[in-house]
């Protein structure tokens, strides 16, 4: 009796899949999980919901935006990733963190089948920024970690310098006004 040599391999179609949003900042492309994005809007569509921070403590965050009774810190994508100045036309409003990210354009929705760990040569901020790397359309792309746009320390610094902007006393950052009113 002989065993097939490849019996333990997972067929190509059976690999885990994840829906992702492919976006660009300048000439650079990135991927983020679609499940971590609550909404994608044009920067023109934000209208009067944008408020300037009284005391910007991070160069990448100068505004907040309110959407559906929740407030989000607006992170400049090009400043976050240390890229050349660009002209953002879209904003990714993230789901589980109080962050909205300015990006130049949304390229497409795609299906990610491979998530590779970060190479050991990466040792700096990129270990916070990215979940790993993936391959889409024969290009290797970084997969953004939604929690990497603003770390817990950065969120605390923003709140310390702009008290009450995203919360009232005793309520977590990013809590909606409706959630605060129910308490």
């Amino acid at each position: 009796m002989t065993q097939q040599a490849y019996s333990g391999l997972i067929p190509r179609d059976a690999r885990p899949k994840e829906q992702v949003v492919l976006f660009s900042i300048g000439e650079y492309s990135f991927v983020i999980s679609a499940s971590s994005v609550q909404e994608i809007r044009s920067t023109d569509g934000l209208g009067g919901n944008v408020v300037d921070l009284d005391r910007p403590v991070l160069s990448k965050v100068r505004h907040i935006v309110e959407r559906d009774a929740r407030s989000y810190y607006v992170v400049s994508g090009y400043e976050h990733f240390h890229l050349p100045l660009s002209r953002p036309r879209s904003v990714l409003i993230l789901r589980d963190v109080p962050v909205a990210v300015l990006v130049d354009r949304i390229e497409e929705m795609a299906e990610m089948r491979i998530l590779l760990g970060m190479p050991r040569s990466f040792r700096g901020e990129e270990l916070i920024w990215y979940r790993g790397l993936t391959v889409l359309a024969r290009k290797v792309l970084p997969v953004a970690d939604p929690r990497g746009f603003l770390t817990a320390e950065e969120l605390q610094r923003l709140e310390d310098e702009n008290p009450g902007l995203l919360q009232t006393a005793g309520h977590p950052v990013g809590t909606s006004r409706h959630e605060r009113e129910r308490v």
Side-chain angles (χ1 to χ4, degrees):
M1 180 187 255
T2 61
Q3 262 188 322
Q4 288 183 328
Y6 301 106
S7 62
L9 296 177
I10 298 173
R12 185 177 184 106
D13 294 2
R15 288 184 290 188
K17 302 169 189 165
E18 183 176 351
Q19 296 298 312
V20 294
V21 177
L22 182 63
F23 65 93
S24 295
I25 299 171
E27 62 185 67
Y28 302 94
S29 296
F30 303 85
V31 172
I32 191 166
S33 174
S35 66
S36 66
V37 177
Q38 178 153 333
E39 186 178 358
I40 299 171
R41 302 217 28 121
S42 160
T43 53
D44 295 336
L46 293 176
N49 298 328
V50 178
V51 176
D52 292 341
L53 288 178
D54 291 334
R55 300 175 132 183
V57 293
L58 303 171
S59 63
K60 67 181 177 180
V61 180
R62 294 190 183 105
H63 312 283
I64 61 166
V65 63
E66 187 172 303
R67 297 288 307 144
D68 299 324
R70 283 192 68 184
S71 296
Y72 302 85
Y73 288 109
V74 180
V75 174
S76 165
Y78 73 85
E79 287 192 55
H80 173 72
F81 291 118
H82 306 293
L83 298 173
L85 179 66
S86 69
R87 221 173 216 332
R89 285 176 260 164
S90 297
V91 63
L92 300 171
I93 298 174
L94 303 184
R95 187 176 307 283
D96 296 324
V97 291
V99 174
V101 183
L102 292 170
V103 302
D104 290 7
R105 66 195 157 282
I106 305 302
E107 293 188 16
E108 66 177 309
M109 297 288 292
E111 194 171 84
M112 178 175 75
R113 293 179 180 253
I114 298 169
L115 180 61
L116 306 168
M118 293 297 289
R120 288 188 286 183
S121 61
F122 288 81
R123 298 187 182 273
E125 292 173 302
E126 55 278 331
L127 293 176
I128 296 168
W129 299 342
Y130 305 124
R131 291 174 47 205
L133 302 172
T134 193
V135 178
L136 291 176
R138 297 183 180 205
K139 292 193 294 189
V140 176
L141 300 168
V143 180
D145 185 337
R147 296 165 303 187
F149 288 104
L150 286 176
T151 65
E153 179 183 284
E154 288 172 325
L155 283 167
Q156 190 60 55
R157 284 179 56 204
L158 285 162
E159 180 58 25
D160 288 348
E161 289 298 320
N162 300 279
L165 213 51
L166 291 188
Q167 66 182 10
T168 58
H171 297 283
V173 171
T175 303
S176 75
R177 200 179 315 144
H178 296 296
E179 291 167 323
R180 288 191 304 261
E181 290 169 358
R182 282 189 297 210
V183 174

